[in-house]
Amino acid sequence: MSAFKNVGTIQYEGKESKNPLAFKHYNPDEIVLGRRMEDYLRFACAYWHTFTGEGSDPFGVGTAIRPWHGTSGLDLAKARVEASFEFYEKLGIPFFCFHDRDIAPEGATLRETNKNLDVIVAMMKDYMKTSKVKLLWNTANMFSNPRFVHGAATTSNADVFAYAAAQVKKGLETGLELGSENYVFWGGREGYESLLNTNMKLELDNLARFFHMAIAYADEIGYKGQFLIEPKPKEPSKHQYDFDAATTIAFLKSYGLEDRFKLNIEANHATLAGHTFEHELHVSRINGMLGSIDANQGDTLLGWDTDEFPTDLYSVTLAMYEIVQNGGLGSGGVNFDAKVRRQSFEAEDLFFAHIAGMDTFARGLKVAAKLVEDKVLENVLADRYASFSEGIGLDIVNGKADFKSLEAYIIDKGEIVNKSGRLEQIRATLNDYIF
Ligand code: XUL
Ligand code: CO
């Protein structure tokens, strides 16, 4: 039985196509920078937004009309799995991602919850045997249930810490069973509201203990997926511990975790942190920590996580430029952590939204590749920093200079001559490449 009977397989029809259910730019087999587009982009569908989310907001219930409506409990969970594989295959999206609680309902105890999960994981495993679709990453929802009111690994209640540990233990076993290529930690409520009742040192130490335990258990069971942390500055906590890439990298380094973790950078989280997406990607990349991305976009006029499908070509091009400079995302990918707007409530909108995101990233990749091939920004940097490739600048870079030699060099030199940064001209060139 088909869940999306009005939609067939989405094909690449090229940029002249007027068919809204076709790709205009995403052509999986097209070679860009020596790699198939599909392999470069490694798109993933986020289960929580596409199959679990229903469009509710703080002022109203969900509006979505979905083929799995009319079922409940485990039957609902099964109907979603069935529809999800039809969706991935029709769209030609090679990966998916989920939280444990997206895919199966909770039971009265953790044991019962795990039993529900086992049923759905077995079903997914069966689908994955006959489908080419793979699991990019799985994660644990340790923020929705009221037990996580004070956090999970950073809670003030040791029983909750134990529960979270058991939940991630099961998550790693699930990842092993389904062959997930990454395991993500997003610190949903790992943060605090007020220092008046918070022992920050204990909470951060416990968070690091938790991550070390996760590594130990993964090694014990032979789980080989890449560990990723997803920074976010606020929401739901006022102060989230994984504020942004720089904060998260510093945390990982302080606790000796930097060799086992990379970052999953989300566009909308960058906006909330007061950064651009490319800033967060760049900081991760130059620290060797760019692992994967959550592709979406926020709204600079709104202070919360709107998780819109990414259609801002300018931002996506600059993001893809960072990813290209990174040599791709390795075992990571481009996960659409994005939801259709509440007023886009028809099931077909799920296709339109993913097509829009996939086409935008395909275009961004092509523009970024051209920028790299033509050395546009490489030349900008070479020219701007030319003074560090010769003479005294080269001495500084090579560690041959000290305060005394620098003083001797500059003291009688007179007026220093600077060069223009040429930013407007560079931006105009970038526009020429994009349009
Ligand atoms: C929340 C968010 C999460 C993570 C996975 O803002 O981005 O959905 O991606 O827990
Ligand atoms: Co995310």
Side-chain angles (χ1 to χ4, degrees), residues 76-93:
L76 170 60
K78 288 177 186 169
R80 283 179 170 142
V81 173
E82 207 176 311
S84 73
F85 277 86
E86 181 185 332
F87 185 79
Y88 309 143
E89 279 160 14
K90 285 190 165 165
L91 195 62
I93 197 161

Side-chain angles (χ1 to χ4, degrees), residues 405-424:
S405 69
L406 291 170
E407 183 197 50
Y409 166 80
I410 205 72
I411 196 145
D412 296 315
K413 237 180 162 253
E415 196 73 36
I416 291 176
V417 180
N418 264 312
K419 284 200 287 190
S420 166
R422 294 271 186 270
L423 200 49
E424 297 76 7

